[in-house]
Amino acid sequence: MDFTQSFDLISQIRSSVQSDKNSNGYEFSHFEVVGQEGNGTLLFTVVAYQKTDKLSTSWISLYDLSRKKHKIIYKEEKVIHVVSASVNHHFTLLAYTVIEPDSKDDVKDKTKLPKGTFQAFLAEIHPQRTVYNLNLDRNNYIMLNFISDKNVTEKESHLLVSLHKEAIGIYNVKLSRAGDQGLKMTGQPNIQPITEPGIDQFVWSQWDSTNQRLYVIHHRTIKLGQRRDRGSHQETSSPRLGSPARSRAYLTCFQINPGQYKEFVMECGLDVNIPSRTFPKYLNIKPSFSIPDASYNFKVLAQNNGSIYLCLQYHKSSSHPSLSDSEDQQKLHYYIVFVHQGQTMKCSCPGVTGKMASKARLFFTLIGDHYLAVYLPGQFIHLLNASIDFEPSHHILLHDESSHTDLGTNSVYYSRYLSSIVVDHKLGLYDIKQGRVYDKLSVDKCKLLEIFPKTHSANLRLAIMHYMIIKAKELANVKKLFEALSLDVASPEMRDLLGEYLVASTYNTMRLEVDKLLLRLIPYTAQPLSKGLSEKDHLGQKLVSLSYSPFKHTAMFTSRQLDKKKWQTDDLWESLCNHMRWRQLTNPTPFKPSDVLKNVETTAAISPEPKQPVSPQRRSSLFTSFMSRFSSKESTNFKHAGSRKRTDDVLGKLPEYLQSADTDKEQDRLISMSVEKLSQHLEKHDPKESKATAHQVASLFVHTQLEQSRQLFQILWSIMGPKRSEQAHVPLHKCGNSQDYQFFQVLERYFLATTELCFPVSATFKNYFTFLGFRCLDFALFMQYVDRGVLFLSLQFVQRVIDDLPNDKGGTFIKQRLIKKLPKVYTFLIQIF
């Protein structure tokens, strides 16, 4: 990840406070960010010392990130230890939680909160009047968050109260006028519970203030034989007497609607063993938008396109009596629940064990629309490719030196100082210890380009190639990857990387042309979707292993009869529900080119030979008609990622004799069969689409295949092709040099990749490939390539051989052998020769 763009938040806050006129006569220390509202406003605390009498007080203030201005909203006449704070939408009420330590010795470990009593308070701050103790003294964490709603009048506020291990509820607070500008509370708040009977003590919760969403992980005891109605909290069928019971963990999601109406929208059974009996200790993470239990590190990340991830990490410790001391439990593990894909991924990192594993706290965040980043300083960065558009694949797993960043430290223990802050509606990383905010986290493309030629991992090279095509979309960077590959043309990975470029670039172009449902039926990778992945270092030591398992329980959604115009943000739940329903009904699978290859081979085996020769000028085939169709006015509707001119500017133009699109019988069969098979596949998995639409999409797909296979050849030519001075027709009796042979090896792998993936190539390429092979290979080996169908004998090639080779004994032998390989309709050449 790129950590280069950042700013010093604490220094900005300190400068703003010290420049305030109200700060005269004070000295300040212990600046801490303790909360953030949905509009981006930060809440921070500071200890103020009076220079005259040296009295210490605690101030709670607001800070505007865009204006870099602060406003003091509350002063406490003593030093208090605030762990979280929130302010209502009209800035009239302040809710905050403090902890009263049991002993001063507990404060020494600054990464954890001291043992003590948590207390919740509600203060009138406009103007500052009464402070109310909510009488919620607990030994467990208390999280307070005001619910933001512009439609609610300033005489009413709603406070979300989470009592760890007990319950969650909404406090409806009534306010009345107190003078011309002030407001005060009137009476006791009304309490609306969120957790209901049937839900056991909740393990963890997270509040998304930007989108007004609440995520809760809890356990429910279920007896075997019970089932649950869709969208209901209650079990519906009575189990038989004496049935055994077991506890199951669930992720339950609530949406707080305008008017503070809480709505249960989704519940997902988790196939991860989350211990329910713990003796929580809390980390000193500020701001924290979830329960900072030291035993758990959970985080929910969601996007409005329907992608939702539950990230899980928990430690083996004495607080988990249910966990054994096995060797497996001493390693670092984490789980990612891809709710939108119905899968759970387990990641094991054998290199992080023992005390290091128990202290490590992973940082989870989203980068763009496709990647979920998992970061552990000094150990690894995992960029997980698992968006809603396709199955998890091509993860970029960086370990050791490859994962080092500009964060300022590479210590695992520093991971406990990492939190999150929203900047400009994007989630950034907040370094609590240094007070810095890394506000624009992104993938460092330059770093990936450096890693690509150095790594020994074939999976990592494929993942970087996939990223550069699908996400980075810069042809110049893709060319740099192939330049690195050209240094080792005999690498067995070359064929897979060429195939990945063909499939991924075709998918990347198609997603600009078709809707999302049809796009999910288009192949996006040339690699089979495996059930797992294991990576080792250069010494053979295992670095990481991934495994996947499908959901055993289907996520449940409630029926929603709401006016969508009232929603403040795009509806995540509607997108997610529609996507999962579509997956269940259609069971979509991307199109497999292997089906086309089987049919092409069968058709080629039974197709008769031509009865008479056809001159190149009179040939008219599906290939040329297909190409002309997309070069007409109709092609202006297709807005591909890069124009031909821009491609030529980056790669340089191909020689004129390689630019034409000659006809070819093999390509005719391939194109026709590809369009037919893909049309059938689209009709089967998306019955709503008409046959005409399916055929049009299939035709566009094959046209895109043609473009991308040509572009890949152009990339290879720009890197390894002959120089302009050598591009004229070289006599066939002149043997190729070492550069020619290397280029032939690359083109051989290019041809095998296109054949295996059923990508059509032009007849001009096949002719050039044969010409180059004749110059680079021994004639006996050349004939083996011809017999295997790798090289093709055309009439043009044989005529060139007759013209270029001398009529001595060796030349005559070669000419006769080649003429005999031609179809019988060309026997007239024997007579002419």
Side-chain angles (χ1 to χ4, degrees):
M1 290 190 295
D2 187 357
F3 288 89
T4 57
Q5 186 159 341
S6 64
F7 61 91
D8 193 332
L9 176 61
I10 296 300
S11 294
Q12 287 185 7
I13 293 175
R14 182 185 291 109
S15 176
S16 177
V17 171
Q18 292 175 347
S19 62
D20 192 352
K21 296 179 181 179
N22 296 325
S23 301
N24 293 335
Y26 289 92
E27 293 179 354
F28 301 96
S29 64
H30 297 89
F31 289 85
E32 290 185 321
V33 180
V34 293
Q36 186 175 28
E37 299 303 324
N39 59 4
T41 301
L42 294 174
L43 291 96
F44 70 91
T45 62
V46 60
V47 176
Y49 300 89
Q50 289 187 1
K51 295 180 180 180
T52 55
D53 50 14
K54 296 297 182 180
L55 292 178
S56 300
T57 59
S58 290
W59 296 1
I60 301 179
S61 305
L62 304 176
Y63 185 74
D64 190 328
L65 281 169
S66 58
R67 299 173 55 207
K68 298 181 180 179
K69 298 291 184 182
H70 84 288
K71 179 182 179 182
I72 302 171
I73 59 174
Y74 179 74
K75 293 182 179 180
E76 180 68 37
E77 297 303 324
K78 62 179 180 179
V79 177
I80 55 177
H81 193 163
V82 180
V83 296
S84 68
S86 180
V87 67
N88 67 343
H89 181 75
H90 300 286
F91 304 105
T92 56
L93 290 177
L94 170 70
Y96 61 96
T97 301
V98 301
I99 184 171
E100 291 289 342
D102 292 340
S103 64
K104 294 183 179 180
D105 294 335
D106 289 327
V107 189
K108 289 183 178 180
D109 187 358
K110 294 184 179 181
T111 65
K112 293 183 179 180
L113 291 176
K115 294 182 180 179
T117 303
F118 291 92
Q119 298 176 329
F121 296 91
L122 193 61
E124 299 170 349
I125 59 174
H126 188 65
Q128 182 170 334
R129 290 176 178 271
T130 309
V131 178
Y132 298 92
N133 189 333
L134 297 182
N135 295 320
L136 296 174
D137 296 4
R138 297 291 191 276
N139 291 325
N140 291 337
Y141 195 87
I142 301 175
M143 188 167 65
L144 305 177
N145 302 97
F146 272 107
I147 298 169
S148 176
D149 186 8
K150 298 179 181 179
N151 299 324
V152 175
T153 66
E154 61 180 8
K155 294 185 178 181
E156 185 178 19
S157 289
H158 298 82
L159 179 66
L160 184 67
V161 180
S162 302
L163 305 177
H164 191 207
K165 296 289 186 180
E166 292 186 44
I168 303 176
I170 297 177
Y171 281 37
N172 185 1
V173 182
K174 299 295 184 181
L175 304 172
S176 63
R177 285 287 179 185
D180 295 336
Q181 298 180 348
L183 289 169
K184 65 178 182 178
M185 290 177 55
T186 58
Q188 294 293 325
N190 298 323
I191 302 176
Q192 177 191 4
I194 286 186
T195 54
E196 300 178 5
I199 295 183
D200 298 341
Q201 296 177 352
F202 75 92
V203 175
W204 172 88
S205 69
Q206 174 183 317
W207 171 243
D208 180 355
S209 60
T210 302
N211 299 292
Q212 305 288 282
R213 298 170 187 152
L214 176 67
Y215 306 100
V216 181
I217 292 181
H218 60 92
H219 287 82
R220 180 181 286 109
T221 301
I222 295 180
K223 293 186 177 181
L224 298 182
Q226 275 183 328
R227 64 178 179 85
R228 303 184 61 236
D229 271 345
R230 197 174 186 83
S232 170
H233 285 279
Q234 303 298 328
E235 312 298 335
T236 57
S237 61
S238 300
R240 285 179 289 184
L241 192 63
S243 298
R246 58 189 176 92
S247 179
R248 180 185 300 164
Y250 288 88
L251 169 67
T252 302
C253 307
F254 299 90
Q255 182 72 57
I256 308 301
N257 300 332
Q260 282 61 56
Y261 168 73
K262 63 96 181 176
E263 180 192 6
F264 159 74
V265 289
M266 188 196 76
E267 185 169 271
C268 176
L270 303 178
D271 301 323
V272 180
N273 180 26
I274 300 177
S276 57
R277 296 182 180 180
T278 61
F279 306 98
K281 298 179 181 179
Y282 300 102
L283 293 177
N284 189 18
I285 296 179
K286 301 173 187 176
S288 179
F289 306 102
S290 61
I291 304 294
D293 192 335
S295 301
Y296 301 117
N297 180 20
F298 298 164
K299 193 170 188 178
V300 175
L301 298 168
Q303 295 173 308
N304 289 329
N305 63 2
S307 301
I308 182 167
Y309 312 83
L310 171 60
C311 311
L312 304 166
Q313 178 203 4
Y314 52 85
H315 302 97
K316 187 198 83 63
S317 65
S318 58
S319 62
H320 288 166
S322 62
L323 296 182
S324 65
D325 292 329
S326 65
E327 181 181 353
D328 187 61
Q329 291 295 344
Q330 296 175 7
K331 304 173 185 177
L332 175 66
H333 301 277
Y334 70 84
Y335 299 83
I336 306 294
V337 179
F338 304 111
V339 178
H340 52 281
Q341 297 291 2
Q343 293 190 48
T344 301
M345 185 195 80
K346 177 184 178 181
C347 178
S348 176
C349 302
V352 185
T353 58
K355 187 177 180 181
M356 187 183 297
S358 65
K359 296 292 184 181
R361 186 175 178 85
L362 302 176
F363 178 77
F364 304 97
T365 190
L366 291 174
I367 297 183
D369 297 331
H370 294 86
Y371 286 85
L372 167 66
V374 184
Y375 175 51
L376 181 61
Q379 292 297 316
F380 61 78
I381 296 176
H382 293 171
L383 299 176
L384 306 178
N385 182 26
S387 73
I388 198 171
D389 297 326
F390 35 74
E391 300 290 326
S393 62
H394 292 301
H395 308 307
I396 301 177
L397 309 177
L398 305 177
H399 283 255
D400 301 328
E401 294 183 0
S402 299
S403 66
H404 288 181
T405 66
D406 299 323
L407 187 61
T409 180
N410 289 308
S411 170
V412 169
Y413 306 106
Y414 202 82
S415 60
R416 295 198 167 203
Y417 293 105
L418 303 182
S419 183
S420 300
I421 280 181
V422 177
V423 183
D424 294 332
H425 308 289
K426 294 182 179 180
L427 198 63
L429 183 146
Y430 177 49
D431 184 341
I432 301 173
K433 190 172 184 178
Q434 301 294 332
R436 298 195 67 84
V437 174
Y438 298 84
D439 55 337
K440 291 188 178 179
L441 298 179
S442 61
V443 177
D444 191 343
K445 291 179 286 188
C446 295
K447 186 71 173 291
L448 293 182
L449 291 174
E450 293 177 7
I451 294 172
F452 185 83
K454 298 177 182 179
T455 181
H456 69 282
S457 171
N459 292 323
L460 180 55
R461 269 193 284 270
L462 276 169
I464 294 175
M465 175 70 74
H466 187 84
Y467 171 83
M468 289 298 178
I469 299 169
I470 296 292
K471 187 63 179 176
K473 307 176 188 177
E474 294 180 9
L475 190 58
N477 287 335
V478 176
K479 181 181 177 181
K480 291 179 181 178
L481 298 183
F482 282 108
E483 286 174 348
L485 289 174
S486 66
L487 301 176
D488 185 14
V489 296
S491 170
E493 303 170 20
M494 175 70 80
R495 182 172 167 182
D496 289 338
L497 290 165
L498 293 171
E500 188 61 34
Y501 174 86
L502 291 170
V503 177
S505 60
T506 301
Y507 173 87
N508 191 49
T509 304
M510 287 294 292
R511 67 179 178 180
L512 301 175
E513 311 296 345
V514 300
D515 61 59
K516 290 185 176 180
L517 290 182
L518 285 176
L519 185 64
R520 290 165 187 168
L521 301 174
I522 301 297
Y524 57 87
T525 178
Q527 302 304 309
L529 297 177
S530 62
K531 298 299 182 182
L533 174 67
S534 180
E535 287 282 18
K536 298 180 180 180
D537 61 14
H538 64 284
L539 299 176
Q541 299 295 322
K542 186 177 290 187
L543 292 173
V544 60
S545 61
L546 303 179
S547 60
Y548 304 92
S549 60
F551 280 3
K552 297 178 182 178
H553 313 283
T554 304
M556 295 181 295
F557 296 83
T558 55
S559 58
R560 308 178 61 207
Q561 305 295 333
L562 299 176
D563 184 3
K564 295 182 180 179
K565 296 180 180 179
K566 294 182 180 180
W567 286 79
Q568 299 177 356
T569 59
D570 295 336
D571 194 352
L572 160 71
W573 310 115
E574 196 74 23
S575 301
L576 178 61
C577 183
N578 291 337
H579 172 73
M580 299 193 73
R581 184 185 298 115
W582 179 74
R583 285 176 58 89
Q584 292 174 8
L585 294 177
T586 62
N587 190 23
T589 55
F591 178 65
K592 294 181 180 179
S594 57
D595 297 338
V596 179
L597 185 61
K598 295 176 182 177
N599 283 272
V600 170
E601 292 173 349
T602 303
T603 306
I606 63 176
S607 61
E609 293 184 350
K611 296 182 179 181
Q612 58 183 4
V614 182
S615 63
Q617 292 79 9
R618 296 181 57 189
R619 288 180 187 166
S620 176
S621 67
L622 178 62
F623 187 85
T624 49
S625 63
F626 186 82
M627 290 297 295
S628 62
R629 184 191 317 161
F630 283 97
S631 61
S632 62
K633 296 180 181 179
E634 190 175 333
S635 65
T636 58
N637 296 328
F638 303 128
K639 300 177 181 178
H640 294 294
S643 64
R644 172 61 53 198
K645 182 179 182 302
R646 187 167 53 190
T647 301
D648 291 342
D649 291 340
V650 176
L651 304 176
K653 290 185 178 181
L654 286 170
E656 187 174 349
Y657 62 87
L658 288 174
Q659 293 181 6
S660 62
D662 283 348
T663 61
D664 186 282
K665 181 180 65 175
E666 299 295 332
Q667 304 309 308
D668 292 350
R669 282 200 295 265
L670 178 61
I671 291 170
S672 177
M673 198 66 66
S674 296
V675 172
E676 178 184 351
K677 287 295 181 181
L678 181 55
S679 298
Q680 295 173 357
H681 184 80
L682 297 177
E683 293 174 21
K684 176 182 177 181
H685 292 281
D686 195 357
K688 296 181 181 179
E689 298 293 343
S690 63
K691 290 186 176 181
T693 301
H695 188 272
Q696 182 180 7
V697 172
S699 300
L700 174 60
F701 175 76
V702 177
H703 169 66
T704 306
Q705 285 184 313
L706 288 167
E707 287 294 322
Q708 296 309 317
S709 63
R710 181 187 184 278
Q711 184 165 286
L712 178 56
F713 175 63
Q714 190 174 358
I715 292 174
L716 300 175
W717 181 276
S718 68
I719 298 172
M720 303 187 66
K723 298 178 182 178
R724 184 173 297 276
S725 58
E726 303 173 356
Q727 287 180 6
H729 293 290
V730 181
L732 290 178
H733 61 79
K734 182 179 180 181
C735 294
N737 55 30
S738 59
Q739 293 180 348
D740 292 332
Y741 184 69
Q742 288 183 353
F743 191 39
F744 174 77
Q745 286 183 298
V746 173
L747 293 187
E748 179 184 359
R749 285 156 177 75
Y750 164 79
F751 173 77
L752 293 176
T754 55
T755 302
E756 181 180 325
L757 298 170
C758 296
F759 270 68
V761 295
S762 65
T764 53
F765 161 76
K766 295 170 100 175
N767 282 335
Y768 177 80
F769 187 35
T770 303
F771 278 102
L772 186 61
F774 185 81
R775 294 178 53 235
C776 294
L777 301 174
D778 178 78
F779 182 69
L781 183 58
F782 173 82
M783 294 305 296
Q784 292 182 26
Y785 272 69
V786 173
D787 294 338
R788 293 288 183 178
V790 178
L791 297 177
F792 300 85
L793 299 182
S794 65
L795 180 60
Q796 178 187 3
F797 170 74
V798 176
Q799 289 174 335
R800 277 285 307 277
V801 171
I802 294 174
D803 294 338
D804 290 357
L805 266 63
N807 290 325
D808 55 12
K809 183 177 179 180
T812 302
F813 173 76
I814 291 175
K815 295 175 185 180
Q816 291 177 342
R817 285 287 307 274
L818 294 179
I819 292 174
K820 291 179 180 179
K821 284 290 183 180
L822 291 175
K824 294 180 180 179
V825 294
Y826 297 114
T827 52
F828 69 93
L829 283 177
I830 300 178
Q831 301 173 358
I832 296 175
F833 176 70

